[in-house]
Amino acid sequence: MNYQAILDEIYDEVQPELHKGKVADYIPALAEVGKGQFAMTVTLDNGQVFSVGDSGKQFSIQSISKVFTFTLALDVYSRELYKRVGVEPSGNPFNSLVQLEYENGIPRNPFINAGAIAITDALISYYRDEYMTLEVIMNFVREISNNPKLSFDPLVANSEMEHGDRNLALARLMKSFGNFENDVLGTVFTYFKHCSITMNTEELSRAMLFLAFGGTDPVSQKQFITPSQTKRINAVMLTCGHYDASGEFAYHVGLPAKSGVGGGIAAIVPGKMSIAVWSPALNRYGNSHAGTLALEKFTTKTGLSIF
Ligand code: GLN
């Protein structure tokens, strides 16, 4: 299949859509990112890369980092993790407090904010402190992407912390139910730091490749997790990766994928490839408008989906 030609076609077709939606202005540092930008990259098992648009431009991966922290936590806690976080779609916005209250402080899944904060807390308990935990997360992300230079943007992390009342409220609510083990401020700040990891679509698609191949990076042949763990992570991406638009995303795109309010979406086609797309303007669910559309076009044009 001529992936480059398909990406070029998609690039042309999404142009009229790039200004629809709005950037994540609740994080002031992200409000400055200009609309109108678009990038998409496909990475195959042999490491071959096809890109279109601003694929060298770094963006804030935000909630896509939750895939990496969930992977680490599942690996160290296994089934024990389900005592603290479920694996059920929430049907609610990513930062909602309501459900957490009536479900006694146990977040529905690892990809809504409460769930990801609980996961960060669990990792801090396991790795003893915030600094070590951030180091473990960063090293893992560098390893899976085969890129020792990846880092996070402290300006974005600080901006999130300054305006982090809702996430702090989620953490405090969990603490009030006994589902929190470490310092609330330090844990939430660690969560913001991993959300502030910056990557371009080439780096992000490379980082996700192991999830398309049963937990083993097909290029380096390094095994990071087992096929069974990979199956679970991909299942949660499919059912919860786009918050209260996860059903719609599965319906239109048909791939396990995770979005972030930085405008990125990372998707995998099991056994074939990983795909990263970025366009900063978001739909009302907080998912990239043009990015979602581009992935829908990709699976329609190629016939690649898990269904
Ligand atoms: N860091 C963001 C937040 O906590 C992540 C949200 C997202 O990408 N959906 O609000």
Side-chain angles (χ1 to χ4, degrees):
M1 207 157 345
N2 189 344
Y3 292 120
Q4 191 60 52
I6 291 168
L7 291 185
D8 290 341
E9 241 177 72
I10 293 172
Y11 181 79
D12 289 340
E13 289 172 17
V14 297
Q15 291 307 311
E17 302 290 331
L18 300 186
H19 288 269
K20 293 186 187 158
K22 69 190 213 42
V23 299
D25 54 6
Y26 78 97
I27 302 171
L30 293 184
E32 293 155 22
V33 179
K35 286 184 183 184
Q37 306 186 77
F38 179 84
M40 190 164 183
T41 296
V42 167
T43 304
L44 303 183
D45 59 341
N46 58 4
Q48 203 181 353
V49 166
F50 303 92
S51 284
V52 77
D54 312 305
S55 61
K57 181 130 186 217
Q58 305 267 323
F59 59 90
S60 196
I61 68 166
Q62 290 294 317
S63 283
I64 302 169
S65 66
K66 296 171 182 174
V67 176
F68 308 136
T69 50
F70 178 43
T71 302
L72 284 169
L74 193 61
D75 201 31
V76 296
Y77 282 99
S78 193
R79 284 166 197 278
E80 282 293 296
L81 193 64
Y82 310 139
K83 291 187 182 151
R84 301 204 47 192
V85 188
V87 287
E88 200 62 27
S90 69
N92 274 293
F94 63 82
N95 56 5
S96 170
L97 281 148
V98 182
Q99 196 170 45
L100 193 61
E101 162 76 2
Y102 66 71
E103 295 188 353
N104 303 319
I106 307 293
R108 276 280 176 110
N109 68 66
F111 294 159
I112 50 173
N113 287 10
I117 293 168
I119 295 257
T120 305
D121 180 52
L123 288 174
I124 293 174
S125 298
Y126 186 85
Y127 291 109
R128 305 215 180 273
D129 68 60
E130 296 154 22
Y131 306 98
M132 191 60 201
T133 302
L134 189 64
E135 208 43 37
V136 168
I137 296 169
M138 291 311 303
N139 284 340
F140 179 63
V141 172
R142 288 171 187 141
E143 253 213 283
I144 55 175
S145 42
N146 202 24
N147 182 348
K149 293 203 187 103
L150 291 178
S151 66
F152 66 92
D153 183 345
L155 291 178
V156 175
N158 289 336
S159 176
E160 288 207 66
M161 195 65 187
E162 271 167 44
H163 300 267
D165 300 307
R166 184 167 274 273
N167 285 312
L168 289 163
L170 289 168
R172 292 223 181 272
L173 191 55
M174 287 192 280
K175 187 155 191 154
S176 78
F177 282 107
N179 189 19
F180 213 87
E181 294 166 343
N182 298 287
D183 174 57
V184 165
L185 288 177
T187 304
V188 172
F189 200 24
T190 306
Y191 160 79
F192 287 144
K193 286 176 183 163
H194 74 64
C195 285
S196 318
I197 294 173
T198 53
M199 290 191 194
N200 57 41
T201 53
E202 297 200 354
E203 291 163 343
L204 180 58
S205 110
R206 183 70 174 80
M208 296 292 287
L209 201 59
F210 76 107
L211 290 172
F213 292 92
T216 297
D217 181 287
V219 184
S220 67
Q221 295 298 329
K222 276 191 207 157
Q223 180 174 5
F224 296 110
I225 50 172
T226 66
S228 158
Q229 290 169 320
T230 310
K231 177 186 78 179
R232 295 180 200 291
I233 293 159
N234 290 343
V236 184
M237 281 209 282
L238 181 77
T239 54
C240 311
H242 285 71
Y243 322 110
D244 43 341
S246 297
E248 250 182 70
F249 187 90
Y251 182 81
H252 290 290
V253 179
L255 293 175
K258 182 75 203 82
S259 72
V261 291
I265 306 176
I268 57 118
V269 185
K272 291 215 156 56
M273 64 180 70
S274 58
I275 311 163
V277 59
W278 172 64
S279 189
L282 309 176
N283 62 23
R284 66 192 170 96
Y285 302 103
N287 304 316
S288 171
H289 168 71
T292 306
L293 209 64
L295 284 167
E296 180 179 353
K297 286 177 184 294
F298 185 82
T299 54
T300 305
K301 286 173 194 289
T302 58
L304 293 170
S305 103
I306 62 166
F307 300 108

